[in-house]
Amino acid sequence: MGLLEVKKLSLTLGGKKILNDCTVDFWEGHVHAIVGPNGAGKSTLAYTIMGLSGYRGATGDIVYDGKSILGLGIDERARMGITLGWQEPARFEGLTIKNFIRAAAKDKTIASIKDALEKVALNPDEYLTRAVDKTLSGGERKRVELASLLAMRPRIVLLDEPDSGIDVEALEKIFEAIHLLKSYGATVILITHSIAVLKQAEHAFLMCRGEIFDKGSVDKISGYFENKCIPCERTAISSSPEGN
Amino acid sequence: MKAGQVTPKELYDTTELEYEALNNPDVAHIEVHHNTVVGAHLVPGLDVTANETENGVAIVFRVTENSVIEKPVHMCFGMLPEKGVQEIQMNVIIEKNARVSVLAHCTFPNAVEVLHTMDARITVGENADYAYFERHIHGKTGGVTVVPKAKVTLEKGARFKTEFELIRGRVGSIDIDYETTCKEWSVMEMNARISGTHNDAIQIRETGHLVGEGARGVLTSRIAVRDSARAEVHNKLTATAPFARGHVDCKEIVQDNGVATAIPIVEVRNPKAHITHEAAIGSVDTRQMETLMSRGLTEDDAVELIIQGLLS
């Protein structure tokens, strides 16, 4: 039994079934990756686990540490130890990086906040008093987001496309942060269609059409994803005369 | 409490500023309680005359030509009794090539029925620089009516920046009316940050006229209204000279039964001038709120942090 269990989760948005009896377990302290083509339902699964407002009304269940959390609000889930890093993190006019990280931090001392920034290779002297706004580049904003997650010390971290908008040099820092989260005891769930990100994981799931299509080792899933998802083999089969 | 018994320290004790910080002889300051100048210290290059009127003071604030006042000048206006009227008339003259910045506190911590008016005429001379930051400290009752008006003229190459902040205590009723005329190559920046709650009423009229070649101006408003507070922001920027550049930026956050209105007017009468504007009114951004909630903050705490940031 995993720390987080998704059981036959289905969600329809705008008349379209995005999650389709999705079932998956995540193991405590491990790094998992959910990979799949665009539109597979990966981000929707993450947002539904987090309980975001546009992703309520799912059927099935989400069980965390033995308890159903499907009826709980975002903040309640967060206070239980679940959190989410967005693909495109929000920007906040006037809110300083210090106060942004402090809002999440388990240890709210300035030393702890500086330490979180240093962990993502941002100089506290330069960044603490800057705002989390449009003056930050996409890569800087992503690292600030990760710093806040590190400071939070969550039990489960969902990271949606953690490499999005990141250059090669910064990507290494993102990977270091992922492994640091694991070293803190967090269960990490990477949502990605990047092989480089997928390779940071210990377990991989292939998602397709709202369900977990396959699972196993990173090598197994990455091999399948690279060779049979782009272009999609299932679509080719189902749309061919033989597939019918 | 009689006006004359109030000391500068008592006024500053209602603000975040330590009065002892003003002991430095290089720091100029002036304090006015009701219609009495209760404290003042000047530095070379700064001339201030103050005449007491029935309900306030008439002040001439002059920085002489080429004078640079290195440390911010502190001003404090206030009324500590629950009721009263304070009328401030200010004639500010920043002479050619002079530079000064002013940090003003307006404090009405016990107001139940207080009217505070400010009528200012400001002239910033050629290549002079004037920055004026005004912070209001109000009590919890909302019994204050604040009516600040200013007519500002910027001569060639002058720079003027003003910030009005009212985010501590109840606004009560406020009616700001600032108008600035910018001559060639002058730069103007007017900012207002106000947080309204209960049945506070906020009215802002900021007007800038870019009449000189290359004049630049920015009008910025950041307003939050909660409960049944109302805000109406009129920003007007006109450009009539070549290479004038301007921007109007108004953001208002509305919570509960608050009502916010933004009326930006931009008027360009020269084909080589350019003005832009942006206005955003609405509830707190969902993505911002859910980001903070995913870190464990309650919805109320998330909204509070977002508003604090916007108004900071």
Side-chain angles (χ1 to χ4, degrees), chain A residues 87-89 91 133-145 164-167 174:
Chain A
Q87 179 179 354
E88 288 184 29
R91 294 170 196 275
D133 63 10
K134 59 188 176 186
T135 62
L136 294 177
S137 70
E140 288 173 322
R141 181 66 197 90
K142 203 90 171 178
R143 283 193 271 172
V144 169
E145 175 97 331
S164 171
I166 295 288
D167 59 37
I174 300 291

Side-chain angles (χ1 to χ4, degrees), chain A residues 156-168:
Chain A
I156 290 186
V157 189
L158 299 143
L159 292 177
D160 190 14
E161 306 285 4
D163 59 331
S164 171
I166 295 288
D167 59 37
V168 175

Side-chain angles (χ1 to χ4, degrees), chain A residues 200-219:
Chain A
Q200 305 307 310
E202 298 162 283
H203 313 287
F205 302 92
L206 179 64
M207 196 161 181
C208 181
R209 299 178 186 175
E211 60 183 327
I212 299 299
F213 178 67
D214 200 1
K215 64 181 178 180
S217 69
V218 168
D219 286 344

Side-chain angles (χ1 to χ4, degrees), chain B residues 39-106:
Chain B
H41 170 73
L42 303 182
V43 295
L46 174 63
D47 292 334
V48 176
T49 59
N51 293 311
E52 295 173 1
T53 62
E54 183 183 351
N55 278 316
V57 290
I59 295 173
V60 178
F61 181 101
R62 181 189 301 271
V63 181
T64 56
E65 187 170 329
N66 297 320
S67 294
V68 174
I69 311 297
E70 293 289 353
K71 296 192 181 299
V73 176
H74 289 264
M75 302 182 88
C76 192
F77 304 100
M79 289 279 293
L80 297 190
E82 294 180 350
K83 295 184 178 182
V85 176
Q86 185 180 48
E87 297 169 342
I88 308 294
Q89 297 169 50
M90 289 276 286
N91 186 6
V92 177
I93 302 145
I94 314 299
E95 294 184 347
K96 186 177 176 181
N97 297 323
R99 191 178 80 208
V100 67
S101 66
V102 173
L103 175 57
H105 286 90
C106 296

Side-chain angles (χ1 to χ4, degrees), chain A residues 71-82:
Chain A
L72 300 182
I74 304 169
D75 55 327
E76 293 170 300
R77 297 181 200 203
R79 285 194 291 276
M80 292 172 79
I82 302 171

